[in-house]
Structure formats: C-alpha cells, structure tokens
Amino acid sequence: MSRLALGRYSRYISRLKPLPHLNNSVLFSSSATSNRDDTAAASQTGPPPIRVGLTESAGRAVFATRRIGCGDLIHTAKPVLACPSLLSLDSVCYLCLKKLMGSDKFQDRGVSYCSQECQDNAKGFYDVETRGDWSSFVDYCRTHNFKYPLMVKRLSCMVISGALSPDCLDILQPASLSSAMISKIEDGYGLLWNAFRKANFTEDDVAFLTKQWYTGILARIRINAFRIDLVGGSCGEDLLSLAAASVDGEGAVGHAVYMLPSFYNHDCDPNAHIFWLQNADARLMTLRDVEEGEELRICYIDASMGYDARQTLLSQGFGFSCNCLRCQAKD
C-alpha cells in the first residue's frame, strides 16, 4: 500500500479494535523512524518527534515537534502492566503476551513464557501469585465477563513483589463508575483480599490493598487499557501493510496499560494509530502527513460505526462527547 493510498484510507485503517489511552512518566523506546528505514530503529536512541502539552478542551495531548511523514513510526512503548485474557492463557507468553508456537516455550509452575528473559522478569510477581488460591476470584471474573480485575490482581502481585508502587497509575484519568458497577467491583475486592490473606500475606504486605485503592485502580484501567490485537510479522515489514493487515486481525490476546500513549487524545478520523507486532510492545505510527505543531490523535473505538453509535459509546465508555471534524459533520 502506498503512502498516498494510506492517506486516502486513513479512516479505514483506523477501524481496528484498540481501546483507550493511558499515562505516566515516560517509558518508551526508540525515536521516530520512517518505515523505509525501520531496520535502523534499534540504533536510534533519541527522543521521539513529539511533545506533551495541554489543551483547553481535552487536557493533555501529544503534538508533533517537526513534520512527520505518512506511515512513519513515531515511537514505541513498553507496557507498565500487561495481562493475558483467560482464553489466551495457554497460547501466549504470561508476561509479554507473545503467541507461543509449538514446543518453543519456557514453562514454570503451570504457565508458559516465550523466553528465559520473560520468565526471569516475571519471577518476582509470579512467586507472589503462586502463593494464593485464585479460583474464586477467577470464577468471578469469568462469570461476569470481567477482564480488568485480572489486571488488578497482577498489579497487586507486582506491588507486593516490589516491581511497582501502589500509586504507579495515579496519573491516569479515572472512569466514572455507576453504583451498580461499584457494587460488583466491591464483590471482586472481597475475593481478592481474602485470597491474599488466606495465603498468609502480612498486613504490611497488603496494606495498600484497600477498597478505595482497588476501585480507583479499576476506574483508571477501565478507560486506559488497550486491547492487544497482534498483527504478527517482523520489524522489517512495511508498517503500512501491517496497519492495513490489522484491520482484519483476529489476534486479541489480552490488555495492557502504557505510559506515553495515554496522552494521545481521540479522533474519529485520526492521524495516528497504535498497533502491535508480536507482543505487547506498542508501536505508534502516522496515518497521514502531520505538520509541526499538529496534535497527534488516535481512535479509541471502532471508527466504522455511525455518528450516533460513536457518540453513545464515547459518552458511556469514556465520559466525553466527541467534537472532531467528522462528528461535527455528523458523518
């Protein structure tokens, strides 16, 4: 697909399934690179061609510090927190969510990893996790079709292991929760708390795990977690082709929360897009030419929906009414 073609069909390319944004201190890798020279990405260590600033209507936002060509890689980002879905537990790496192929697995106490490195990096929180019986909590998530409480469980284990601090997601914008949702959240909190206490963790170990903390974390994850849809392929492939391929992708493997990508605001006809190649490491690329000073925006929802459906979903799911050019025209 040519750059011109991608520019013409940017709305089509953006009709993926990724979700919202996220936040925090910078935890990204690589700088801007053209898809014509993507193989050189690993050798570039400078900052990406963007800055984070404030807007009057949408709070924090990401702006280009120079002209960025259509199809250019803006930056990559590693997740602060990633968690496989219940359906993919046996088929992806327990840490990075990479799909596991055949016998190419490193197994440890009932879960599998794609490499020794992932197994080593997960050891701290997994040592904590294996001390507890999570069956009631997992059944609760499965029964209610909840995915985000599983992320809170992993985050709790990471906090206890010392890998993250309890306030690591405080900078994220929280969702507004209904009374019915809060009631269900409290049920999950009780199950999680009981699992830790039955595993003989001390009061000091779980002092952070209050009902207020649990509810606040879930409220932030709810609108700041990306659904991970793996495109596949390798870094050497054309980013435009990979973006096009992700439109029909069936590779959802879990969810993740990031730092820098959380600052990207929404647009129903975006000029940027986030996607995943082989694991939960995110890539953000342009869908058309972006001028210096222009705000970079991604689409939080399925952009193929009509105006009314988009407005309803954005209002109920993210707490705002979209006023982008496309919505102003009620397209």
Side-chain angles (χ1 to χ4, degrees), residues 11 15 268-269 303-311 324-331:
R11 186 180 302 170
R15 292 174 186 173
C268 294
D269 192 11
S304 67
M305 295 187 297
Y307 168 77
D308 290 336
R310 297 198 315 273
Q311 288 290 337
C324 68
L325 294 178
R326 184 182 171 196
C327 286
Q328 290 179 30
K330 296 190 175 181
D331 176 9

Side-chain angles (χ1 to χ4, degrees), residues 235-248:
C235 297
E237 294 188 60
D238 190 318
L239 291 179
L240 305 186
S241 299
L242 289 169
S246 66
V247 172
D248 298 317

Side-chain angles (χ1 to χ4, degrees), residues 42 64 73 120 148 158 188 232 290:
L73 179 65
D120 292 343
Y148 301 136
M158 295 177 78
V290 175

